[in-house]
Amino acid sequence: VAALAGQQLPRRTLTLPPGEQTKSLAHLAEICRWLAQNGATRKSTLVAMGGGVIGDLVGFAAATYMRGIQYIQIPTTLLAQVDSSVGGKVAVDIPEGKNLVGAFHQPAAVYIPIDLLQHLPSRQFNNGMAEIWKYGFIMDRELTERLQKNPQPTGNDLHEIIEACIRHKAHVVAEDEFETKGLRAILNFGHTVGHAIEQALGYSSLLHGEAISIGMVAESRLGELLGLTPPGTTQIIRSCLEASSLPTRFFAQFGPQHMHQDRLADPEALVNAMRRDKKATSGKLAFSLLTSIGGCKLIDGVEEQFVYQALQEI
Amino acid sequence: VAALAGQQLPRRTLTLPPGEQTKSLAHLAEICRWLAQNGATRKSTLVAMGGGVIGDLVGFAAATYMRGIQYIQIPTTLLAQVDSSVGGKVAVDIPEGKNLVGAFHQPAAVYIPIDLLQHLPSRQFNNGMAEIWKYGFIMDRELTERLQKNPQPTGNDLHEIIEACIRHKAHVVAEDEFETKGLRAILNFGHTVGHAIEQALGYSSLLHGEAISIGMVAESRLGELLGLTPPGTTQIIRSCLEASSLPTRFFAQFGPQHMHQDRLADPEALVNAMRRDKKATSGKLAFSLLTSIGGCKLIDGVEEQFVYQALQEI
């Protein structure tokens, strides 16, 4: 983004490196120190321009600098546009897990520069498609059908789809801003397994959307095993995601760096990570699981044996 | 505190080193990682037992771990009992200033173990007396007169005084929890100068109460120079604080480590630090200044020349 903006960057800009590694307490310190050094006060407004990493990190800096200042999100990736920039969830990672240190802090405004998506590499575009499919799977059968007809939307079609996703997200967040009612947690479909995969792989090999793509297939299968998700749903979901060139298998080889011929990660390490998931209580796993294509439900107290089996079968 | 508790410490206890240096983002990371490693969930309750450093740091960890969990304050110093444990202001320091990264996060409960004060060294006790005097100066003439008669309260007298201070604090916080109305900021009397002194000295040589003791004298003189504080108030305040063995001079020698015969710190460095104070806007200094013994007012846009003069004259 900084390279694209070139000389047009505002004078007071801090440029941060891309990648999940940037979502750390060390970079939070860097931003807060930079703010103080540049004379930022409680009346200052911070602008986060970049993908989800930048939005989450800069939003958390805004939540905590002087106990909270105003900020504006300008998400530049499809993933951030349809998901992380809306809803005020901001956070950084610690080695024990993703987003484990953070806050709820609503942006004063979110600008969505859809035109910038033309500069997005196709892998990054598909990364965002994973979250778009998610909205279809959990709460919008029509959106799912629309995407099945055109899994690589562009132009006005893309514009409408992004808008639909943001409306869904905003509606859920308005009903359950602080995730206390069990409603907002439904947006976590695919994320319990997905976050665990990201953590096991060190947040570097797979993009977030790729990890939750595999996570959605795994959690769909988990729902089938628990008798909640209609049989055959996993196959439908896999076809959808593969139409957007997203990975959907736990037992497979991913990318040139991943020579695991057997499985993506150690299942026990994944389940350990899931126990630290924010939805979990007293070590009991919780998942947002599908009741149909277009509906879902938060289920807690899931037995770990079913999670192992679901991973085994995808 | 850990040494006093000995074997009675709960099994899941993290012991942190004393001193302002502990109020850092590095220790925030340590606490959050420890919580995750010990399986803490969103339903867990964190207990902060110790002085103000521990309360502020652990409270900030509770505010941010999994975007906020419940916590309980058990302040063990007089300073923390009458001030920092009540009101939900939690924070850590960065090199650019004190409490610059934090949150508003109310404790679920505050237990005040007054009996523990018997173990408090007298310098630490006087440290707390500085904040008690402050409540008298800014909003309670009767409390000031009571303390003038007995500047080293004990027993039931001390109990009543602590209770009075907490009531004052709770009242102000209830009216202006997020410090947006200019009311809560009055509690900052002595703190604009005091924080700057602490920062210039590296948070180590003077205790917080000692720094704000000097700060209250300086800001009282500043109020006199601005025509807001009745002439002679500075002398009264100095006598009060000296009765509790607190330092009150900017031009003096403090302790064996401080061989400055002339002044405590570089006045320009102090004013620079004051410009980064959270009450300042656009580099204009703001102070809570006395209108009488027992009344005060938030004043912004104070010219720096008066601040230099006030420091010069105390």
Side-chain angles (χ1 to χ4, degrees):
Chain A
V1 173
L4 265 180
Q7 294 304 311
Q8 296 176 61
L9 279 180
R11 188 167 57 89
R12 284 189 173 158
T13 301
L14 177 66
T15 307
L16 295 160
E20 189 75 29
Q21 297 83 344
T22 297
K23 266 179 67 174
S24 67
L25 285 166
H27 278 100
L28 173 74
E30 183 186 351
I31 296 173
C32 291
R33 295 192 61 183
W34 174 81
L35 286 168
Q37 286 159 11
N38 282 274
T41 71
R42 279 189 172 168
K43 304 272 172 74
S44 300
T45 298
L46 195 51
V47 179
M49 186 165 184
V53 164
I54 294 299
D56 284 8
L57 169 68
V58 173
F60 189 43
T64 56
Y65 181 69
M66 292 194 175
R67 297 196 181 89
I69 62 172
Q70 188 169 276
Y71 77 115
I72 290 169
Q73 293 274 23
I74 307 183
T76 55
T77 63
L78 181 59
L79 182 72
Q81 290 180 358
V82 297
D83 186 30
S84 61
S85 65
V86 173
K89 270 196 184 181
V90 294
V92 297
D93 307 328
I94 53 177
E96 285 70 19
K98 218 180 140 160
N99 297 330
L100 281 185
V101 185
F104 293 97
H105 189 56
Q106 296 299 335
V110 184
Y111 293 105
I112 312 275
I114 294 184
D115 288 352
L116 279 188
L117 295 179
Q118 62 183 296
H119 301 285
L120 206 62
S122 67
R123 186 180 171 197
Q124 286 287 350
F125 186 87
N126 294 332
N127 188 32
M129 285 304 299
E131 291 282 0
I132 290 177
W133 280 111
K134 184 198 73 180
Y135 289 108
F137 299 152
I138 65 171
M139 59 199 298
D140 190 343
R141 177 184 281 271
E142 273 178 48
L143 174 61
T144 305
E145 287 165 0
R146 181 176 187 167
L147 290 168
Q148 282 172 316
K149 284 181 203 132
N150 179 12
Q152 298 286 347
T154 55
N156 193 50
D157 202 29
L158 178 61
H159 191 119
E160 284 176 18
I161 287 169
I162 290 173
E163 197 176 320
C165 292
I166 294 171
R167 281 188 198 285
H168 285 315
K169 175 85 182 257
H171 175 74
V172 170
V173 172
E175 292 287 312
D176 183 20
E177 180 174 355
F178 300 110
E179 214 166 84
T180 48
K181 300 177 187 167
L183 179 61
R184 186 164 182 172
I186 63 166
L187 298 173
N188 254 245
F189 174 57
H191 284 61
T192 312
V193 170
H195 280 165
I197 291 174
E198 284 183 277
Q199 197 192 331
L201 300 182
Y203 303 117
S204 52
S205 327
L206 284 184
L207 298 175
H208 175 67
E210 293 167 346
I212 68 142
S213 175
I214 299 165
M216 287 191 283
V217 177
E219 295 182 14
S220 174
R221 183 67 195 132
L222 176 62
E224 288 180 13
L225 293 172
L226 295 172
L228 187 83
T229 304
T233 304
T234 307
Q235 260 322 315
I236 298 171
I237 283 180
R238 170 170 281 153
S239 308
C240 291
L241 295 166
E242 288 181 348
S244 290
S245 307
L246 286 159
T248 63
R249 288 177 194 281
F250 186 68
F251 274 77
Q253 178 186 330
F254 290 99
Q257 287 89 19
H258 293 280
M259 302 306 288
H260 304 272
Q261 295 295 328
D262 48 359
R263 61 194 187 186
L264 194 55
D266 174 25
E268 281 191 40
L270 292 191
V271 171
N272 269 331
M274 290 178 211
R275 283 195 209 106
R276 286 196 294 269
D277 183 87
K278 290 189 286 299
K279 295 183 294 305
T281 43
S282 313
K284 293 283 185 189
L285 307 187
F287 296 86
S288 167
L289 298 177
L290 298 184
T291 52
S292 65
I293 298 279
C296 69
K297 204 173 163 180
L298 184 67
I299 304 291
D300 56 18
V302 173
E303 296 292 335
E304 294 178 3
Q305 66 186 90
F306 295 110
V307 180
Y308 284 114
Q309 191 181 339
L311 289 172
Q312 193 73 32
E313 292 179 9
I314 69 154
Chain B
V1 172
L4 264 179
Q7 295 303 310
Q8 297 176 60
L9 279 180
R11 188 168 55 90
R12 285 189 171 158
T13 300
L14 176 67
T15 306
L16 294 160
E20 189 76 31
Q21 295 83 346
T22 297
K23 265 180 69 174
S24 67
L25 284 166
H27 278 100
L28 173 74
E30 182 185 353
I31 296 172
C32 290
R33 295 191 62 182
W34 174 81
L35 286 168
Q37 286 158 12
N38 283 274
T41 71
R42 279 191 173 168
K43 304 272 171 73
S44 300
T45 297
L46 194 53
V47 179
M49 186 165 184
V53 164
I54 294 300
D56 284 8
L57 169 69
V58 173
F60 189 43
T64 56
Y65 180 69
M66 293 195 174
R67 298 197 180 87
I69 63 172
Q70 188 170 275
Y71 76 115
I72 290 169
Q73 293 274 24
I74 308 183
T76 55
T77 63
L78 182 59
L79 182 70
Q81 290 181 357
V82 297
D83 186 29
S84 60
S85 65
V86 173
K89 271 196 184 181
V90 293
V92 297
D93 306 328
I94 52 177
E96 285 70 20
K98 219 180 141 161
N99 296 330
L100 282 185
V101 184
F104 294 96
H105 189 56
Q106 297 298 335
V110 184
Y111 294 104
I112 311 275
I114 294 183
D115 288 352
L116 279 189
L117 295 179
Q118 64 185 291
H119 301 284
L120 206 62
S122 67
R123 187 180 169 196
Q124 286 287 348
F125 186 87
N126 293 333
N127 187 32
M129 284 305 299
E131 292 281 0
I132 290 177
W133 280 110
K134 183 197 75 179
Y135 289 108
F137 298 152
I138 65 170
M139 60 200 295
D140 191 341
R141 177 184 280 272
E142 273 178 46
L143 174 61
T144 305
E145 287 164 1
R146 181 176 187 167
L147 290 168
Q148 281 172 317
K149 284 179 203 130
N150 180 11
Q152 298 285 348
T154 55
N156 193 49
D157 202 28
L158 177 61
H159 190 119
E160 284 176 16
I161 287 169
I162 291 173
E163 198 176 320
C165 292
I166 293 171
R167 281 188 198 285
H168 285 315
K169 175 86 183 256
H171 174 73
V172 170
V173 172
E175 292 286 313
D176 182 21
E177 180 174 355
F178 300 109
E179 213 165 86
T180 48
K181 300 177 187 166
L183 178 61
R184 186 162 182 173
I186 64 166
L187 297 174
N188 254 244
F189 174 57
H191 283 61
T192 312
V193 170
H195 279 165
I197 291 174
E198 283 182 278
Q199 197 192 331
L201 300 183
Y203 305 117
S204 53
S205 327
L206 284 184
L207 298 176
H208 176 67
E210 293 168 345
I212 69 144
S213 174
I214 299 166
M216 287 191 283
V217 177
E219 295 182 13
S220 173
R221 183 66 194 132
L222 175 62
E224 289 181 11
L225 292 172
L226 295 173
L228 187 83
T229 305
T233 305
T234 307
Q235 258 323 316
I236 299 170
I237 283 180
R238 169 169 281 151
S239 308
C240 291
L241 295 166
E242 289 181 348
S244 289
S245 307
L246 285 160
T248 63
R249 290 178 193 278
F250 186 69
F251 274 76
Q253 180 185 329
F254 290 98
Q257 287 89 19
H258 292 279
M259 301 306 288
H260 304 271
Q261 295 294 330
D262 48 358
R263 61 196 187 187
L264 194 54
D266 174 26
E268 281 190 41
L270 292 191
V271 171
N272 269 330
M274 290 177 211
R275 284 195 209 107
R276 287 195 293 271
D277 183 87
K278 289 189 285 301
K279 295 183 294 305
T281 45
S282 315
K284 293 283 183 189
L285 307 186
F287 296 86
S288 167
L289 298 177
L290 297 184
T291 52
S292 65
I293 297 279
C296 69
K297 202 173 163 181
L298 183 67
I299 304 291
D300 55 18
V302 173
E303 295 292 336
E304 294 178 3
Q305 67 185 90
F306 294 110
V307 180
Y308 284 113
Q309 192 182 338
L311 291 172
Q312 193 73 33
E313 292 179 10
I314 70 154

